[in-house]
Amino acid sequence: LSIFSDEIAARNRIAARYAAALAGHVSRIPAVIEGGSSTWAQYTIEVPDPAAFAAALKAEDIPTARYYPRPTHRQTAYEACPLAGNGLPVTDACAETVISLPIHAYLDEATQDMIIDAAIQAVRKAARTAA
């Protein structure tokens, strides 16, 4: 625990670098509420085609993860829990478009830059393909 705060500070620096570099390239970047903090267990972004994005990064030996491809309210353990009105359409939509990039306290800047560059290239390629 003696290095925990240093590790969280490092994760926050990495998240800030990702945010600055990816803003305007990906559909959405994560944000922390004002006055809040995050331990950045994941750095989850939104892209139009997570599968193609993952394949592009995998080709560059960069791992990605879809931690919650099925929202909690769609999992068997919660099927008996009631949903209000029209359900959770935003949650359902997000589950279709989110993917997480590598983040940990020991991710050096050169590796961060490689991840950022590959992510931007993957998004650009997807945009060209869609056009």
Side-chain angles (χ1 to χ4, degrees), residues 18-100:
Y18 278 173
L22 296 174
H25 294 284
V26 300
S27 303
R28 188 183 319 187
I29 57 173
V32 178
I33 61 170
E34 189 170 333
S37 63
S38 177
T39 59
W40 296 106
Q42 294 99 24
Y43 190 87
T44 303
I45 60 174
E46 189 174 335
V47 296
D49 186 348
F53 183 88
L57 269 64
K58 184 176 182 178
E60 301 294 326
D61 293 322
I62 299 169
T64 58
R66 304 268 327 271
Y67 288 102
Y68 309 104
R70 190 169 172 205
T72 303
H73 70 283
R74 299 265 180 225
Q75 294 179 20
T76 306
Y78 295 93
E79 66 189 8
C81 296
L83 293 176
N86 65 346
L88 299 171
V90 174
T91 302
D92 288 328
C94 287
E96 298 295 322
T97 59
V98 296
I99 191 163
S100 298

Side-chain angles (χ1 to χ4, degrees), residues 4-22:
F4 185 67
S5 61
D6 294 335
E7 289 189 353
I8 300 309
R11 287 172 178 252
N12 276 281
R13 283 191 300 276
I14 295 164
R17 286 192 83 228
Y18 278 173
L22 296 174

